[in-house]
Amino acid sequence: MVVQNSADAGDSRVGVQLEPFLHQVGGHLSVMKYDEDTVCKPLISQEQRFYESLPPAMKRFTPQYKGTITVHLLKDSLGHLSLVANPLNENREPFKVSTESAAVAIWQTLQQTTSGSGGAHTLSQWQHSQLAHSLKESQATALLRSEFHLSTHVSSLVEDPDGNQAQDERKSFNPWGLHCHQAHLTRLCTEYPENKRHRFLLLENVVSQYKYPCILDLKMGTRQHGDDASEEKKARHMTKCAQSTSACLGMRICGMQVYQIDKKHFLCKDKYYGRKLKVEGFRQALYQFLHNGTRLRTELLEPIQRQLQALLSVIRSQSSYRFYSSSLLIIYDGQELMERTLGGQHPQEALQTAHSNSPGGLAKVDIRMIDFAHTTYKGSWNEHTTYDGPDPGYIFGLENLIQILQDIQEKK
């Protein structure tokens, strides 16, 4: 880890200053924004090997792997921490982080509220009153445990210097990424007292093309622990699976954000919410993910099911793979086609026109598998077990997900 003042940090002028990725809805490792089309996350060698040996049939369902980078932790004269990556090549232009960036504005304010003596922002502005029992729990974590609309709690974080509210799309964000980022910086500062460089994976930003990315993160499979898990960790994960929809459906919700067009902000749910759901609650949450606050996005149902069926076919053809603790992302744009292209047409007429103009008459959706730190397969390094046939837990989850979507479509 490299900690130094910005005045001495030559790398900070030519490197890429990483931003918290505000559309991270699940996971525990910090995902960072490298540029508009690229995100990065701390490198885990098993996950890197998975991407480097990825079967061609799976590439359409995973983020594009772009290599690795070296990252340094820097501290400026005010004590603010940032992560700075070496550019991919020497000819790359220095990366400029816009002062208008929502991620920068929110993260700077977060550091101000947590770096000591207060000022205008106090801990009480971050924490829900029922959760402020202990200063040991981070403010972002307290927010995450609340099931209120997040803009109610964090609108003060995106005021401009004059105290005016920022535009609607900047006053609502999912704080999970900030929580993971804060935890990661804390871990770097406490666990690596000596100078150390860190390696990060570079991956495609799979939501870069969406204005209001609606994202559902599903932890797939009936088992979540890897082959190398300790007995204590194995028991903990088995308990979580047994007490959640992982056991009975082969999946559980790990995070969600869905844009509400009537309120102009994201409705967000976290992994704690997902763990509490039973089967009917899961069905209702999936329905909610497809509802924009005004109507059910029925035009999304068919393209989502088509892609899930295609993924199911691919998974069934992958012998020996076990995708323990991996997630499946379902992504679509909260801004509807009619809003982007069709102006003043009647809503039903606009929707029909949008369908006729889109490829195959279907709305744009994306299905991606992520998080492969515990994935095992024949030939993977240091494997403890070699499995035969495709992953039954993952297939069980996909089949149930497709069936629930079909049920929603039939009852629409």
Side-chain angles (χ1 to χ4, degrees), residues 4-71:
Q4 58 192 114
N5 291 331
S6 59
D8 301 323
D11 284 348
S12 67
R13 298 190 185 98
V14 298
V16 178
Q17 183 174 342
L18 304 180
E19 297 182 32
F21 183 57
L22 293 184
H23 296 301
Q24 180 180 355
V25 302
H28 65 278
L29 291 179
S30 177
V31 177
M32 307 292 295
K33 178 181 175 182
Y34 181 83
D35 59 29
E36 289 301 323
D37 300 313
T38 311
V39 297
C40 56
K41 59 186 292 191
L43 185 149
I44 296 176
S45 57
Q46 190 167 339
E47 184 169 33
Q48 180 186 12
R49 284 189 291 273
F50 170 84
Y51 278 111
E52 290 177 342
S53 61
L54 188 64
M58 293 187 63
K59 289 186 177 181
R60 64 175 286 202
F61 295 109
T62 59
Q64 179 189 355
Y65 170 61
K66 299 185 177 184
T68 66
I69 52 171
T70 300
V71 174

Side-chain angles (χ1 to χ4, degrees), residues 278-341:
K278 303 304 181 185
V279 173
E280 185 54 35
F282 181 94
R283 292 176 182 269
Q284 293 174 1
L286 188 55
Y287 182 96
Q288 185 179 48
F289 171 66
L290 298 169
H291 201 286
N292 64 11
T294 300
R295 70 175 187 91
L296 181 69
R297 295 286 300 275
T298 54
E299 74 276 14
L300 301 171
L301 289 165
E302 187 176 347
I304 290 175
Q305 290 177 72
R306 284 192 179 186
Q307 290 204 36
L308 289 175
Q309 289 284 5
L311 175 60
L312 179 58
S313 177
V314 170
I315 297 298
R316 283 173 172 162
S317 69
Q318 303 304 317
S319 180
S320 84
Y321 277 82
R322 293 297 181 270
F323 301 99
Y324 298 136
S325 197
S326 72
S327 283
L328 183 69
L329 300 184
I330 302 177
I331 309 164
Y332 69 90
D333 201 332
Q335 184 185 42
E336 299 187 51
L337 284 172
M338 66 184 76
E339 295 174 351
R340 295 197 295 267
T341 63

Side-chain angles (χ1 to χ4, degrees), residues 218-224 250-251 323 326-328 394 397-398:
L218 297 173
K219 185 77 73 174
M220 299 298 293
T222 54
R223 166 182 159 176
Q224 298 302 322
M251 57 186 163
F323 301 99
S326 72
S327 283
L328 183 69
Y394 205 105
L398 280 177

Side-chain angles (χ1 to χ4, degrees), residues 246-300:
S246 290
C248 56
L249 290 178
M251 57 186 163
R252 70 171 182 264
I253 292 176
C254 256
M256 180 176 88
Q257 67 178 36
V258 53
Y259 190 68
Q260 306 292 279
I261 63 171
D262 55 337
K263 298 181 176 66
K264 306 297 183 186
H265 67 235
F266 287 99
L267 172 66
C268 304
K269 300 292 184 180
D270 58 54
K271 66 180 182 181
Y272 304 106
Y273 164 82
R275 287 179 191 170
K276 294 185 298 183
L277 296 177
K278 303 304 181 185
V279 173
E280 185 54 35
F282 181 94
R283 292 176 182 269
Q284 293 174 1
L286 188 55
Y287 182 96
Q288 185 179 48
F289 171 66
L290 298 169
H291 201 286
N292 64 11
T294 300
R295 70 175 187 91
L296 181 69
R297 295 286 300 275
T298 54
E299 74 276 14
L300 301 171

